[in-house]
Amino acid sequence: MKFSTAAGALFAISSSASTVYGFAPAPSSLTARALTFSSVHSVREPSRRSHIASFSNRRTTISMSAGTFNVGIVGATGAVGKEIVGCLEKRSFPVNGLRIFGSERSAGKEVDTKFGKVTVELFSEEAARECDVVFLAVDGDFSLKHAENICAGDDGPVVIDNSSAFRYKEGIPLCVPEINAETTKGKKLIANPNCTTAIGLMAVWPLHKLFGLTKMVMSTYQAASGAGQPGMDELVEGTRSVLNGERDVAENKIFAHPLPFNVIPHIDKFQENGYTKEEMKVTWETRKICGLADDFPVRLVLMSHVVLCYKCSDQCEKNKSHSHFALLCQ
């Protein structure tokens, strides 16, 4: 689920890790929670006026050394961006100022947040560079075009990219903070992993540290939210139309095939080895995050979409014929 991936991107506020998981957690102090943006890693409570930021820009140093951050979110009006705002709110992230950037269609709209009412600004690289930290909740093409320009130089902010644009690029950390936060030290551009990778490795990493894995096979049921709000809407409306007897098979415009009451073992393009790119993402990302060899065997078996039913009814028995799986009724 894509918004799970976005929540995981908030490295600076992932202070809930503990040694019960079998790995060394990130320190929980305010400064340590900012380690994604910092070149300082300390296990003791430092002064809030310590030199958290190693970048020379005066604006950034003042804001970050005071323990608060000017945060920018590009794409905050979409499903992923809304979750990033929600995580900042729920975890009481020390936001000095929140700026939301969007397209011409979104610019001028007002968004209610815990940090006050925020007016969506038309995106520009110059405006984004005025922040301390910028989250990119956009597609890969947008990130490729703008991410490196936003964070360029000593006066640029730290950029955390939620797309797949930089995940495999040499020198750019691909980070799950509870596993490899140290890779972000001194970096200005940080990549966020695929949702399946991030969630799965939280369970697998401690086992690997304790016992050493020799092979990993992961099975997932992919969420419609990977296509954003339009994908979720299509799933809901399609499910409703079939359950109400309006259609035998749900209509599909966003996805290549109808998702409700269907099982589709195909996401993204097939690769030369017969696996889809979605499956290979988990393989590539697991190896990079965990520091495994390029030939370490990682396999993902995926299905899309989890079959769902909103309620038990007489129609449930009839609609079972639309699915390869039994309906999940509540």
Side-chain angles (χ1 to χ4, degrees):
M1 207 169 203
K2 284 289 183 184
F3 64 70
S4 296
T5 312
L10 299 175
F11 303 143
I13 46 179
S14 61
S15 58
S16 59
S18 73
T19 53
V20 72
Y21 298 113
F23 49 76
S28 60
S29 69
L30 175 61
T31 300
R33 280 185 239 142
L35 64 85
T36 296
F37 321 128
S38 167
S39 64
V40 177
H41 298 260
S42 173
V43 294
R44 66 182 185 276
E45 182 71 23
S47 165
R48 287 200 176 196
R49 304 202 68 81
S50 63
H51 55 296
I52 298 177
S54 62
F55 316 119
S56 62
N57 175 258
R58 185 173 181 273
R59 167 192 51 75
T60 302
T61 303
I62 291 174
S63 169
M64 297 177 80
S65 65
T68 60
F69 303 90
N70 293 317
V71 178
I73 303 174
V74 183
T77 57
V80 177
K82 289 177 181 177
E83 288 298 322
I84 294 178
V85 174
C87 284
L88 292 171
E89 294 174 332
K90 293 173 186 176
R91 300 192 181 189
S92 299
F93 186 74
V95 173
N96 179 60
L98 177 63
R99 298 178 68 177
I100 294 176
F101 302 101
S103 63
E104 291 183 355
R105 183 180 60 183
S106 300
K109 294 181 180 178
E110 290 189 332
V111 179
D112 289 317
T113 75
K114 179 181 177 181
F115 314 106
K117 192 180 292 290
V118 180
T119 300
V120 179
E121 303 175 48
L122 180 63
F123 169 80
S124 71
E125 292 178 356
E126 292 75 18
R129 285 176 60 82
E130 295 173 0
C131 301
D132 299 317
V133 184
V134 175
F135 292 96
L136 297 183
V138 291
D139 61 37
D141 290 339
F142 186 99
S143 294
L144 285 171
K145 183 177 180 179
H146 299 290
E148 292 177 299
N149 294 336
I150 294 172
C151 67
D154 290 338
D155 59 343
V158 170
V159 173
I160 300 177
D161 180 37
N162 190 61
S163 78
S164 61
F166 298 99
R167 289 174 183 166
Y168 318 119
K169 188 170 182 178
E170 187 72 26
I172 295 180
L174 178 64
C175 186
V176 176
E178 293 84 352
I179 297 174
N180 65 338
E182 71 282 354
T183 62
T184 67
K185 184 176 181 179
K187 299 295 185 179
K188 300 288 291 297
L189 176 56
I190 300 163
N192 190 36
N194 181 278
C195 51
T196 302
T197 308
I199 296 170
L201 290 187
M202 285 298 295
V204 170
W205 176 249
L207 298 176
H208 178 59
K209 294 293 288 183
L210 289 172
F211 306 110
L213 299 179
T214 58
K215 181 179 180 180
M216 185 172 81
V217 178
M218 187 184 299
S219 298
T220 72
Y221 293 86
Q222 301 285 326
S225 58
Q229 191 64 50
M232 291 188 282
D233 291 342
E234 181 169 292
L235 174 64
V236 171
E237 292 304 317
T239 301
R240 182 180 292 113
S241 68
V242 173
L243 289 178
N244 290 341
E246 299 168 10
R247 300 179 63 96
D248 290 331
V249 177
E251 185 179 14
N252 60 294
K253 294 180 180 178
I254 303 299
F255 298 101
H257 305 279
L259 294 194
F261 317 111
N262 202 1
V263 179
I264 308 163
H266 174 198
I267 299 181
D268 215 321
K269 299 177 181 179
F270 279 101
Q271 307 296 290
E272 290 183 2
N273 62 2
Y275 287 90
T276 64
K277 189 175 181 181
E278 184 74 12
E279 293 170 303
M280 292 309 301
K281 284 178 185 177
V282 176
T283 299
W284 297 327
E285 294 173 19
T286 294
R287 290 169 179 165
K288 182 173 181 177
I289 293 168
C290 296
L292 302 172
D294 289 342
D295 59 351
F296 185 88
V298 179
R299 297 291 181 266
L300 173 69
V301 179
L302 61 81
M303 292 288 182
S304 175
H305 182 75
V306 176
V307 179
L308 67 87
C309 179
Y310 291 120
K311 61 183 179 180
C312 288
S313 69
D314 294 338
Q315 288 188 332
C316 282
E317 283 299 321
K318 183 190 81 169
N319 287 322
K320 281 184 181 179
S321 62
H322 293 292
S323 172
H324 296 155
F325 288 163
L327 290 172
L328 304 178
C329 300
Q330 298 182 4

